[in-house]
Structures are given as structure tokens and as C-alpha cells.
Amino acid sequence: MLESPDSLCDRPSVLLDPFSDILRLANARSVVSGGFVAGGRWAIRFPAPTKIKFFAIVRGSAWLRVDGEKAAARVEAGDVFLISRRSFVLASAPGVSPVDAHRVFTGESRAFARIGRGDEFSLLGCHVDLDPTNGSLLVEVLPTQIHVSAASPQATVMQWLLDQLVRERSAELPGSGAASLQLAHLMFVQILRAHLAGSENHTAGWLRAVNDPRLAPALRRMHAEPGRAWQLGELARASAMSRTSFAHHFKAAAGVAPLTYLTRWRMRLAERALREADTPVAELARSLGYASESAFSHAFKRIMGAAPKRYRAAAQAKTRDRLAAAS
């Protein structure tokens, strides 16, 4: 359920950290989509995914070659890897001619397939459904490939999640569908955490900013109260930094100045409210800290490219067209 405009600006910071807040705005929902068992000599080519996809090796090992990468990588039981925007091949050995994934998974409602002879290898696949608009928040900051090795520090939690997921999928217990969704989502969060922990050289953006412990106090405050008239000095004090140091450090991590980040976050919240609720624009403007509807409308149009009322009308028309096409 969409929050009321007042609740956009009146949420205790204990409820959501900025990372969780952004995942929720992107409406990230992880779904177990299938998998396969393989043996002997085999290879499958997967097209570039239209969604974020991640895979867990349940049993055995294989070679993973992502298009655009110079070399194939060995993936072992317990490894998890995420692929975005690139086609890739999984194979029992380098040089095996791959079959198209569409051929493997088409027919007989085969979410889980068999290829080759034997069952030395087993893989579970998941994808992440995202909000059509705000899902770009995630897609734009993720690399094309994340590989979390079973030998990594994050492997203990990941292996537990994988074991539970396999058990839920095989035991057919009551509520296994709901449990699988939750476990898959936890695995996705762990992949993102492992990615953040694995490198200091992330591209500037929100993902790097929310992982910065020096910026965390200021970000928590902005996300907890986006409608408050935050001043640069207040945010700097929250992070125990001078105004100059805070502004420089924030921009280096987030890619934008602190108050620019706040404005863009407000516009993301406004965008969702305009698409999903009938809140009057003037009321929405007040909830997000704007003294007048015209000031809010000017800011929204400058960042989003359309006035709020026009944006809402276009979004509602698109929703009607989608529902009509589905009926």
C-alpha cells in the first residue's frame, strides 16, 4: 500500500535504512525462475537478460563466459553469480558448442530442465522484478557481473540461504512459495552486500554513498525525513564533519551534492505518489518540504521533464492501456 503524503516525511529512521528505502522504491522482488540439471559434455547460451538475474550453483562446477569479458570463470558448488545486460554461456568445459537456452527451457512447462547425460551439475536461477520507472535506480549502478565465491567471507550466509531455498523447492511444504520468495530476496540482498564489501572502487552513485559509514548518519536523516528543510550544516554535523569536508566527501561518493541528492530523492518519491495515488499536488508538495505547489511543480518539471499533473495524466493513461491490453 502506498504511504500517505505525511508518512513520506514522518517515518522513524529505525524502520528503513537508505539502502532498504531505495530497494523498496525500486520495488525489487526476487523470484525463483527455474534451473537445470546437467551431465557429460554440455553448454548453454543465455541471451542478455531483460531483468537482473542471479544463479546459485547447487552441485558440481562449470565454466561461465560473459560476453565482453576476456576469459571464462570457473564457478563451483556454493558460488552465486549475478548477470545484468550481457549474454553468457555456461558449459561443462571450454570449447563445447552451446545450445540456445530457449530450446532447453521451451516446452512441457519446463522451469527446470535436463541437458546432457547425468546429473553432476545443478543450478538454481532467480530473477529480480523491478518497478518499470524506479527500477533504473538499481540497474544503473550494478556491474554486468557479480561473482560471489563459495570461499568468500559472505559464503556462510549465502550457503545457508541456498540450502533452505533448495529444501523449500523440493519438500513442497505449505507456504513454500512464499518462503522461496523471501529466501531469494535475502540472497539478492546478500549479493549486493558482497559486491559492496568486495571493492573500494565503486562508481560514484547512491550504492557507493549508502555504503560509506561517514555519510550514513546524514543519509539516514534525509531518508527518514525527506520533507524537512535540511541545511548543509545540519547534515555535516550529523556526520561529524565540517561543511566543506562533508560536501566534498558526499559528492565524491554520490556523484552529486548533498542537497541535490535530497531533491532528486524527493522527486523519486513524488513520481511514485503521482503514479500510484490521487493525492492533490499541493498536498504532495507540502509533504515533501515545498512552500508552494508552484515551487514543487517547477522542481519536478526541471528534474523529471514534465509538470506533475501532466506526468500523472500520462502515467494513468499508460496504466489504463496496459490493463486494457491484458484483459
Side-chain angles (χ1 to χ4, degrees):
M1 181 179 295
L2 185 69
E3 300 163 304
S4 68
D6 288 341
S7 69
L8 291 174
C9 314
D10 188 25
R11 294 175 300 161
S13 59
V14 295
L15 290 180
L16 285 176
D17 61 281
F19 185 44
S20 300
D21 221 3
I22 292 169
L23 286 179
R24 188 174 69 161
L25 187 69
N27 203 17
R29 303 175 306 281
S30 302
V31 179
V32 180
S33 51
F36 67 89
V37 174
R41 287 176 60 81
W42 59 271
I44 307 176
R45 170 170 286 281
F46 292 84
T50 56
K51 301 178 179 180
I52 297 170
K53 291 192 174 184
F54 59 96
F55 304 84
I57 310 302
V58 178
R59 182 172 63 251
S61 61
W63 289 93
L64 168 67
R65 187 178 191 95
V66 179
D67 283 5
E69 299 292 332
K70 292 182 179 180
R74 187 75 166 167
V75 289
E76 309 275 353
D79 286 12
V80 177
F81 61 94
L82 178 148
I83 301 289
S84 175
R85 308 185 299 277
R86 295 279 181 88
S87 58
F88 62 97
V89 172
L90 271 172
S92 59
V96 180
S97 181
V99 297
D100 189 86
H102 182 73
R103 288 176 53 194
V104 175
F105 293 97
T106 298
E108 302 178 12
S109 301
R110 291 198 298 177
F112 284 79
R114 285 188 171 271
I115 182 171
R117 297 180 179 179
D119 59 0
E120 302 94 59
F121 180 84
S122 177
L123 170 145
L124 189 67
C126 305
H127 69 258
V128 183
D129 288 332
L130 295 170
D131 178 89
T133 301
N134 287 320
S136 61
L137 280 167
L138 265 179
V139 175
E140 290 171 357
V141 297
L142 288 180
T144 55
Q145 178 185 359
I146 299 173
H147 179 192
V148 184
S149 168
S152 70
Q154 294 80 18
T156 302
V157 174
M158 203 83 77
Q159 187 61 56
W160 184 87
L161 289 170
L162 178 56
D163 290 345
Q164 295 300 312
L165 194 50
V166 171
R167 186 173 293 114
E168 290 291 342
R169 300 293 295 180
S170 59
E172 297 184 354
L173 297 171
S176 63
S180 295
L181 289 174
Q182 297 299 323
L183 290 164
H185 191 63
L186 284 171
M187 186 172 287
F188 176 57
V189 171
Q190 284 298 126
I191 292 170
L192 297 182
R193 287 174 173 173
H195 171 60
L196 288 171
S199 174
E200 298 295 327
N201 300 316
H202 299 295
T203 303
W206 71 261
L207 192 61
R208 177 175 165 186
V210 300
N211 193 50
D212 190 315
R214 298 183 68 188
L215 299 179
L219 282 165
R220 281 198 298 268
R221 284 163 172 76
M222 284 191 278
H223 278 256
E225 298 182 86
R228 180 170 168 173
W230 290 106
Q231 300 297 314
L232 183 63
E234 289 180 279
L235 298 171
R237 285 193 297 274
S239 291
M241 301 168 71
S242 70
R243 287 166 53 101
T244 302
S245 295
F246 174 74
H248 177 77
H249 190 70
F250 194 101
K251 187 169 185 179
V256 294
L259 298 183
T260 301
Y261 175 95
L262 176 61
T263 298
R264 290 184 180 181
W265 179 245
R266 287 171 170 172
M267 295 305 107
R268 290 283 190 175
L269 295 174
E271 188 179 46
R272 183 183 64 177
L274 289 167
R275 284 188 289 120
E276 300 180 7
D278 293 323
T279 307
V281 173
E283 186 178 345
L284 181 60
R286 286 194 300 273
S287 74
L288 291 171
Y290 288 87
S292 67
E293 180 178 341
S294 62
F296 166 70
S297 296
H298 177 76
F300 188 89
K301 185 174 182 179
R302 174 170 53 84
I303 294 173
M304 298 301 179
K309 291 180 180 178
R310 179 169 293 183
Y311 178 90
R312 169 175 277 164
Q316 290 176 344
K318 188 178 294 185
T319 299
R320 286 194 300 270
D321 291 344
R322 187 172 64 250
L323 293 174
S327 62

